[in-house]
Amino acid sequence: VVGESERANFYREQHLQSLEAWIATGIPIEWNQRSNTYGLAADICESLNRQEQASAYRQLQMENRDGFTLLSDGLEKLKACGQQISKEVGAEILDCLTKAAERIPQKYPERHAEIFRATGEILEAWGDTTQAVEYYEFAIQKNPKVGVKRRLDNLRKKLGGAPASGG
């Protein structure tokens, strides 16, 4: 068993070296390749009991996630919160959404609409109705079928404004 473990570690070392060489050449961020590669390197470092190096790779993994992954993660966290969104968790989700907005190309307006909608939901849960209305309006501008029209109309009534027009 000890010999097998040493052989496995030898191959892990080789795999880690090939990943590090690939990282050095500049892995593209598309399709989350860079983030996934850092994650693999972290996994290998953990199995080699190199916790400090694994931690550094985990940090790089998080920093290099693509916008679509960040959006998906943010929406998943938001859904898990339900109606109660603490300031701390909400701030984490907003950070994810902000990074997603920066990284998702403008040619995906439906994704940007999702970002604005989720931001509006957080602000609404925090009681910031005025800001929530603004973000729901942005969402509708990006994608009229984003599904916030009724919610937007209700918030506008609370604020004493006109109902939303369009989809």
Side-chain angles (χ1 to χ4, degrees), residues 8-26:
N9 282 344
F10 172 77
Y11 289 111
R12 286 184 184 113
E13 285 284 350
Q14 286 189 320
H15 191 189
L16 183 60
Q17 287 172 8
S18 68
L19 288 174
E20 288 173 337
W22 194 30
I23 289 167
T25 64

PDB file of all heavy atoms in Angstrom, residues 8-26:
ATOM      1  N   ALA A   8       1.357   6.898  -6.721  1.00  0.00           N
ATOM      2  CA  ALA A   8       0.267   7.850  -6.968  1.00  0.00           C
ATOM      3  C   ALA A   8       0.765   9.274  -6.789  1.00  0.00           C
ATOM      4  O   ALA A   8       0.451  10.160  -7.601  1.00  0.00           O
ATOM      5  CB  ALA A   8      -0.906   7.564  -6.039  1.00  0.00           C
ATOM      6  N   ASN A   9       1.543   9.524  -5.747  1.00  0.00           N
ATOM      7  CA  ASN A   9       2.077  10.873  -5.524  1.00  0.00           C
ATOM      8  C   ASN A   9       3.015  11.294  -6.646  1.00  0.00           C
ATOM      9  O   ASN A   9       3.045  12.465  -7.024  1.00  0.00           O
ATOM     10  CB  ASN A   9       2.784  10.955  -4.166  1.00  0.00           C
ATOM     11  CG  ASN A   9       1.795  11.067  -3.027  1.00  0.00           C
ATOM     12  OD1 ASN A   9       0.624  11.380  -3.231  1.00  0.00           O
ATOM     13  ND2 ASN A   9       2.265  10.795  -1.823  1.00  0.00           N
ATOM     14  N   PHE A  10       3.780  10.347  -7.181  1.00  0.00           N
ATOM     15  CA  PHE A  10       4.658  10.646  -8.317  1.00  0.00           C
ATOM     16  C   PHE A  10       3.819  11.162  -9.495  1.00  0.00           C
ATOM     17  O   PHE A  10       4.147  12.177 -10.111  1.00  0.00           O
ATOM     18  CB  PHE A  10       5.452   9.393  -8.720  1.00  0.00           C
ATOM     19  CG  PHE A  10       6.237   9.563  -9.986  1.00  0.00           C
ATOM     20  CD1 PHE A  10       7.441  10.270  -9.995  1.00  0.00           C
ATOM     21  CD2 PHE A  10       5.771   9.039 -11.186  1.00  0.00           C
ATOM     22  CE1 PHE A  10       8.157  10.435 -11.176  1.00  0.00           C
ATOM     23  CE2 PHE A  10       6.478   9.205 -12.368  1.00  0.00           C
ATOM     24  CZ  PHE A  10       7.678   9.900 -12.362  1.00  0.00           C
ATOM     25  N   TYR A  11       2.719  10.488  -9.799  1.00  0.00           N
ATOM     26  CA  TYR A  11       1.859  10.908 -10.908  1.00  0.00           C
ATOM     27  C   TYR A  11       1.113  12.208 -10.599  1.00  0.00           C
ATOM     28  O   TYR A  11       0.887  13.035 -11.478  1.00  0.00           O
ATOM     29  CB  TYR A  11       0.887   9.788 -11.302  1.00  0.00           C
ATOM     30  CG  TYR A  11       1.602   8.644 -11.983  1.00  0.00           C
ATOM     31  CD1 TYR A  11       1.730   7.410 -11.379  1.00  0.00           C
ATOM     32  CD2 TYR A  11       2.200   8.833 -13.243  1.00  0.00           C
ATOM     33  CE1 TYR A  11       2.417   6.373 -12.001  1.00  0.00           C
ATOM     34  CE2 TYR A  11       2.882   7.804 -13.865  1.00  0.00           C
ATOM     35  CZ  TYR A  11       2.993   6.578 -13.247  1.00  0.00           C
ATOM     36  OH  TYR A  11       3.667   5.561 -13.864  1.00  0.00           O
ATOM     37  N   ARG A  12       0.758  12.375  -9.347  1.00  0.00           N
ATOM     38  CA  ARG A  12       0.142  13.649  -8.949  1.00  0.00           C
ATOM     39  C   ARG A  12       1.114  14.807  -9.193  1.00  0.00           C
ATOM     40  O   ARG A  12       0.728  15.863  -9.693  1.00  0.00           O
ATOM     41  CB  ARG A  12      -0.274  13.609  -7.479  1.00  0.00           C
ATOM     42  CG  ARG A  12      -1.488  12.769  -7.210  1.00  0.00           C
ATOM     43  CD  ARG A  12      -1.899  12.849  -5.735  1.00  0.00           C
ATOM     44  NE  ARG A  12      -2.999  11.962  -5.476  1.00  0.00           N
ATOM     45  CZ  ARG A  12      -2.916  10.873  -4.712  1.00  0.00           C
ATOM     46  NH1 ARG A  12      -1.776  10.556  -4.104  1.00  0.00           N
ATOM     47  NH2 ARG A  12      -3.966  10.108  -4.526  1.00  0.00           N
ATOM     48  N   GLU A  13       2.378  14.599  -8.807  1.00  0.00           N
ATOM     49  CA  GLU A  13       3.417  15.628  -9.032  1.00  0.00           C
ATOM     50  C   GLU A  13       3.531  15.954 -10.519  1.00  0.00           C
ATOM     51  O   GLU A  13       3.608  17.121 -10.897  1.00  0.00           O
ATOM     52  CB  GLU A  13       4.776  15.150  -8.510  1.00  0.00           C
ATOM     53  CG  GLU A  13       4.927  15.177  -7.021  1.00  0.00           C
ATOM     54  CD  GLU A  13       5.139  16.569  -6.444  1.00  0.00           C
ATOM     55  OE1 GLU A  13       5.360  17.530  -7.196  1.00  0.00           O
ATOM     56  OE2 GLU A  13       5.058  16.684  -5.212  1.00  0.00           O
ATOM     57  N   GLN A  14       3.547  14.910 -11.354  1.00  0.00           N
ATOM     58  CA  GLN A  14       3.650  15.130 -12.801  1.00  0.00           C
ATOM     59  C   GLN A  14       2.435  15.887 -13.317  1.00  0.00           C
ATOM     60  O   GLN A  14       2.565  16.797 -14.139  1.00  0.00           O
ATOM     61  CB  GLN A  14       3.804  13.804 -13.540  1.00  0.00           C
ATOM     62  CG  GLN A  14       5.178  13.199 -13.395  1.00  0.00           C
ATOM     63  CD  GLN A  14       5.366  12.008 -14.307  1.00  0.00           C
ATOM     64  OE1 GLN A  14       4.450  11.207 -14.477  1.00  0.00           O
ATOM     65  NE2 GLN A  14       6.551  11.924 -14.894  1.00  0.00           N
ATOM     66  N   HIS A  15       1.261  15.498 -12.848  1.00  0.00           N
ATOM     67  CA  HIS A  15       0.031  16.174 -13.255  1.00  0.00           C
ATOM     68  C   HIS A  15       0.061  17.644 -12.828  1.00  0.00           C
ATOM     69  O   HIS A  15      -0.279  18.538 -13.614  1.00  0.00           O
ATOM     70  CB  HIS A  15      -1.167  15.446 -12.652  1.00  0.00           C
ATOM     71  CG  HIS A  15      -2.490  15.880 -13.199  1.00  0.00           C
ATOM     72  ND1 HIS A  15      -3.674  15.481 -12.660  1.00  0.00           N
ATOM     73  CD2 HIS A  15      -2.836  16.695 -14.227  1.00  0.00           C
ATOM     74  CE1 HIS A  15      -4.677  16.031 -13.322  1.00  0.00           C
ATOM     75  NE2 HIS A  15      -4.196  16.772 -14.275  1.00  0.00           N
ATOM     76  N   LEU A  16       0.478  17.898 -11.608  1.00  0.00           N
ATOM     77  CA  LEU A  16       0.578  19.267 -11.101  1.00  0.00           C
ATOM     78  C   LEU A  16       1.554  20.080 -11.952  1.00  0.00           C
ATOM     79  O   LEU A  16       1.265  21.222 -12.303  1.00  0.00           O
ATOM     80  CB  LEU A  16       0.999  19.270  -9.632  1.00  0.00           C
ATOM     81  CG  LEU A  16       1.084  20.635  -8.954  1.00  0.00           C
ATOM     82  CD1 LEU A  16      -0.268  21.347  -8.984  1.00  0.00           C
ATOM     83  CD2 LEU A  16       1.573  20.482  -7.516  1.00  0.00           C
ATOM     84  N   GLN A  17       2.695  19.480 -12.297  1.00  0.00           N
ATOM     85  CA  GLN A  17       3.680  20.192 -13.128  1.00  0.00           C
ATOM     86  C   GLN A  17       3.106  20.529 -14.502  1.00  0.00           C
ATOM     87  O   GLN A  17       3.327  21.630 -15.017  1.00  0.00           O
ATOM     88  CB  GLN A  17       4.961  19.363 -13.272  1.00  0.00           C
ATOM     89  CG  GLN A  17       5.785  19.331 -12.011  1.00  0.00           C
ATOM     90  CD  GLN A  17       6.954  18.358 -12.094  1.00  0.00           C
ATOM     91  OE1 GLN A  17       7.245  17.805 -13.146  1.00  0.00           O
ATOM     92  NE2 GLN A  17       7.624  18.153 -10.964  1.00  0.00           N
ATOM     93  N   SER A  18       2.339  19.619 -15.082  1.00  0.00           N
ATOM     94  CA  SER A  18       1.753  19.912 -16.397  1.00  0.00           C
ATOM     95  C   SER A  18       0.688  21.007 -16.283  1.00  0.00           C
ATOM     96  O   SER A  18       0.591  21.875 -17.163  1.00  0.00           O
ATOM     97  CB  SER A  18       1.186  18.652 -17.053  1.00  0.00           C
ATOM     98  OG  SER A  18       0.071  18.169 -16.359  1.00  0.00           O
ATOM     99  N   LEU A  19      -0.096  20.986 -15.200  1.00  0.00           N
ATOM    100  CA  LEU A  19      -1.089  22.055 -14.992  1.00  0.00           C
ATOM    101  C   LEU A  19      -0.391  23.408 -14.808  1.00  0.00           C
ATOM    102  O   LEU A  19      -0.821  24.423 -15.375  1.00  0.00           O
ATOM    103  CB  LEU A  19      -1.963  21.750 -13.779  1.00  0.00           C
ATOM    104  CG  LEU A  19      -2.979  20.622 -13.924  1.00  0.00           C
ATOM    105  CD1 LEU A  19      -3.658  20.336 -12.588  1.00  0.00           C
ATOM    106  CD2 LEU A  19      -4.011  20.948 -14.981  1.00  0.00           C
ATOM    107  N   GLU A  20       0.682  23.423 -14.009  1.00  0.00           N
ATOM    108  CA  GLU A  20       1.417  24.671 -13.781  1.00  0.00           C
ATOM    109  C   GLU A  20       2.037  25.188 -15.076  1.00  0.00           C
ATOM    110  O   GLU A  20       2.062  26.398 -15.307  1.00  0.00           O
ATOM    111  CB  GLU A  20       2.474  24.466 -12.696  1.00  0.00           C
ATOM    112  CG  GLU A  20       1.848  24.323 -11.317  1.00  0.00           C
ATOM    113  CD  GLU A  20       2.827  23.943 -10.219  1.00  0.00           C
ATOM    114  OE1 GLU A  20       3.901  23.373 -10.511  1.00  0.00           O
ATOM    115  OE2 GLU A  20       2.507  24.213  -9.038  1.00  0.00           O
ATOM    116  N   ALA A  21       2.507  24.292 -15.940  1.00  0.00           N
ATOM    117  CA  ALA A  21       3.052  24.711 -17.235  1.00  0.00           C
ATOM    118  C   ALA A  21       1.948  25.313 -18.101  1.00  0.00           C
ATOM    119  O   ALA A  21       2.153  26.333 -18.775  1.00  0.00           O
ATOM    120  CB  ALA A  21       3.701  23.526 -17.949  1.00  0.00           C
ATOM    121  N   TRP A  22       0.771  24.712 -18.055  1.00  0.00           N
ATOM    122  CA  TRP A  22      -0.354  25.222 -18.826  1.00  0.00           C
ATOM    123  C   TRP A  22      -0.795  26.588 -18.295  1.00  0.00           C
ATOM    124  O   TRP A  22      -1.076  27.505 -19.051  1.00  0.00           O
ATOM    125  CB  TRP A  22      -1.505  24.216 -18.782  1.00  0.00           C
ATOM    126  CG  TRP A  22      -2.591  24.451 -19.792  1.00  0.00           C
ATOM    127  CD1 TRP A  22      -2.455  25.019 -21.031  1.00  0.00           C
ATOM    128  CD2 TRP A  22      -3.969  24.136 -19.664  1.00  0.00           C
ATOM    129  NE1 TRP A  22      -3.666  25.062 -21.671  1.00  0.00           N
ATOM    130  CE2 TRP A  22      -4.621  24.522 -20.853  1.00  0.00           C
ATOM    131  CE3 TRP A  22      -4.719  23.542 -18.664  1.00  0.00           C
ATOM    132  CZ2 TRP A  22      -5.981  24.347 -21.069  1.00  0.00           C
ATOM    133  CZ3 TRP A  22      -6.075  23.371 -18.883  1.00  0.00           C
ATOM    134  CH2 TRP A  22      -6.698  23.765 -20.069  1.00  0.00           C
ATOM    135  N   ILE A  23      -0.823  26.722 -16.983  1.00  0.00           N
ATOM    136  CA  ILE A  23      -1.176  28.002 -16.361  1.00  0.00           C
ATOM    137  C   ILE A  23      -0.193  29.087 -16.810  1.00  0.00           C
ATOM    138  O   ILE A  23      -0.588  30.203 -17.149  1.00  0.00           O
ATOM    139  CB  ILE A  23      -1.200  27.875 -14.818  1.00  0.00           C
ATOM    140  CG1 ILE A  23      -2.408  27.036 -14.372  1.00  0.00           C
ATOM    141  CG2 ILE A  23      -1.210  29.244 -14.148  1.00  0.00           C
ATOM    142  CD1 ILE A  23      -2.359  26.578 -12.915  1.00  0.00           C
ATOM    143  N   ALA A  24       1.094  28.735 -16.853  1.00  0.00           N
ATOM    144  CA  ALA A  24       2.129  29.696 -17.239  1.00  0.00           C
ATOM    145  C   ALA A  24       1.957  30.184 -18.679  1.00  0.00           C
ATOM    146  O   ALA A  24       2.321  31.309 -19.004  1.00  0.00           O
ATOM    147  CB  ALA A  24       3.517  29.078 -17.062  1.00  0.00           C
ATOM    148  N   THR A  25       1.357  29.354 -19.542  1.00  0.00           N
ATOM    149  CA  THR A  25       1.160  29.765 -20.937  1.00  0.00           C
ATOM    150  C   THR A  25      -0.060  30.659 -21.105  1.00  0.00           C
ATOM    151  O   THR A  25      -0.256  31.239 -22.163  1.00  0.00           O
ATOM    152  CB  THR A  25       1.011  28.545 -21.882  1.00  0.00           C
ATOM    153  OG1 THR A  25      -0.172  27.819 -21.531  1.00  0.00           O
ATOM    154  CG2 THR A  25       2.228  27.654 -21.833  1.00  0.00           C
ATOM    155  N   GLY A  26      -0.887  30.777 -20.077  1.00  0.00           N
ATOM    156  CA  GLY A  26      -2.044  31.677 -20.140  1.00  0.00           C
ATOM    157  C   GLY A  26      -3.306  30.993 -20.611  1.00  0.00           C
ATOM    158  O   GLY A  26      -3.751  31.188 -21.731  1.00  0.00           O
TER     159      GLY A  26
END
